[in-house]
Amino acid sequence: MPAPRLLAVSDLHVRYPENRAIVEGLRPTSDGDWLIVAGDVAERVDDVIGTLTLLRSRFATVIWVPGNHELWTRPKEGVPLRGEERYLHLVQACRDAGVLTPEDPFPIWTGDGGPAVVAPLFLLYDYSFLPDGTTTSAEGLEVAYDAGVVCTDEHLLSPDPYPDRAAWCAARVAYSRARLDACDPSLPTVLINHWPLTRLPTRVLRYPEFALWCGTTATADWHVRYRATAVVYGHLHIPRETWEDGVRFVEVSLGYPREWRARGRPDPLLRTVLPDQ
Ligand SMILES: [Fe+2]
Ligand SMILES: [Fe+2]
């Protein structure tokens, strides 16, 4: 049996039967493989937890961070929880399923490529990835609305009890900084967040205004500050690797069937984070 690996995937979007079939086929190659699931599993709580429970039955450790889709409140789901309450409900359901979340102690990967602190984060976005030519979030949003580029989060992702999503993001950034500051400074980290930690990956978006919903400039130096050996993210549905300051950034999404049918499924779908190849 091959040596255990730290693997990652995101944006499984199992609402689509084709994606659900792909997830049902996901298996480790070693009994010791860990799997990072970097958000956008599904919109419904039962789909999210059902999928993570299945993966947990196969992988030695499963680590989840929320994407925007998990945080949507839709009347037809029958789960009336909004914003932070919905997030904490998902966290508790993950714990019940034996799945690690951004609210749990960070595990240490001690397999090949380790030791490294594996840090799941939930940071959201704060409209600071501004469209070119704009200087404030308000101005940026105006340009986006004028262009007809508006993320569905504006209607479905409640910031309760925070006044807005930017305020929730600021709270998450402060919380996550404190957690990362408390990590053993002699160990490298693997930073995991649904949204990219830096602006660079958004430069290839087809609709550049969409970057407003893709991250925060508050984390621009975290890959250096927190000794990242790799940064794992999704959300963009553009699977690829980029390098900044010598650090590997890996977008690990599957994406919607219409997207992966057009360009071919990521191969392999489960990206190896550690050991670094
Ligand atoms: Fe997604
Ligand atoms: Fe997303």
Side-chain angles (χ1 to χ4, degrees):
M1 187 175 280
R5 292 177 297 163
L6 175 61
L7 302 164
V9 73
S10 76
D11 299 82
L12 293 171
H13 292 288
V14 303
R15 168 160 63 103
Y16 298 92
E18 304 97 310
N19 281 24
R20 191 179 292 260
I22 289 169
V23 171
E24 280 164 6
L26 292 178
R27 290 176 194 282
T29 55
S30 158
D31 287 346
D33 284 351
W34 289 18
L35 182 62
I36 293 163
V37 183
D40 280 5
V41 174
E43 292 77 18
R44 297 180 56 92
V45 172
D46 53 7
D47 278 342
V48 175
I49 301 304
T51 302
L52 293 173
T53 300
L54 172 73
L55 294 170
R56 180 63 187 84
S57 73
R58 295 175 177 177
F59 291 83
T61 294
V62 173
I63 299 156
W64 167 82
V65 297
N68 48 317
H69 283 243
E70 280 96 337
L71 299 174
W72 287 355
T73 303
R74 297 174 314 148
K76 65 180 174 188
E77 186 186 357
V79 177
L81 302 173
R82 296 166 62 81
E84 187 174 56
E85 255 192 335
R86 183 177 172 93
Y87 168 60
L88 294 175
H89 177 75
L90 284 160
V91 166
Q92 187 55 53
C94 282
R95 286 177 174 160
D96 294 345
V99 171
L100 298 177
T101 76
E103 307 310 303
D104 296 306
F106 296 149
I108 312 281
W109 172 257
T110 56
D112 288 357
V117 176
V118 180
L121 307 171
F122 164 39
L123 297 167
L124 208 58
Y125 52 82
D126 63 1
Y127 309 96
S128 56
F129 288 176
L130 299 176
D132 289 340
T134 65
T135 54
T136 66
S137 300
E139 218 181 313
L141 281 164
E142 201 180 311
V143 166
Y145 272 81
D146 284 351
V149 178
V150 179
C151 183
T152 310
D153 294 1
E154 293 298 303
H155 311 289
L156 297 180
L157 203 168
S158 165
D160 285 1
Y162 297 92
D164 50 41
R165 282 170 291 278
W168 194 4
C169 175
R172 292 304 311 182
V173 166
Y175 167 83
S176 306
R177 276 199 72 139
R179 295 280 313 273
L180 290 167
D181 284 336
C183 287
D184 180 346
S186 71
L187 290 180
T189 61
V190 173
L191 301 178
I192 305 154
N193 188 45
H194 180 62
W195 300 268
L197 289 189
T198 61
R199 180 74 197 262
L200 180 73
T202 69
R203 294 292 181 192
V204 296
L205 286 172
R206 194 206 244 155
Y207 302 103
E209 299 87 357
F210 190 75
L212 286 163
W213 292 273
C214 290
T216 167
T217 54
T219 56
D221 69 344
W222 283 24
H223 57 291
V224 175
R225 177 189 292 266
Y226 296 115
R227 312 167 300 283
T229 185
V231 176
V232 175
Y233 68 101
H235 188 59
L236 304 186
H237 295 194
I238 305 173
R240 63 173 183 150
E241 288 193 14
T242 50
W243 293 80
E244 291 181 69
D245 304 303
V247 179
R248 184 166 64 119
F249 286 66
V250 199
E251 209 277 14
V252 296
S253 63
L254 170 59
Y256 301 129
R258 66 174 185 303
E259 295 169 323
W260 58 253
R261 259 194 235 106
R263 64 172 168 240
R265 264 167 59 180
D267 184 25
L269 177 57
L270 303 184
R271 299 303 180 96
T272 302
V273 179
L274 291 175
D276 195 349
Q277 295 153 323

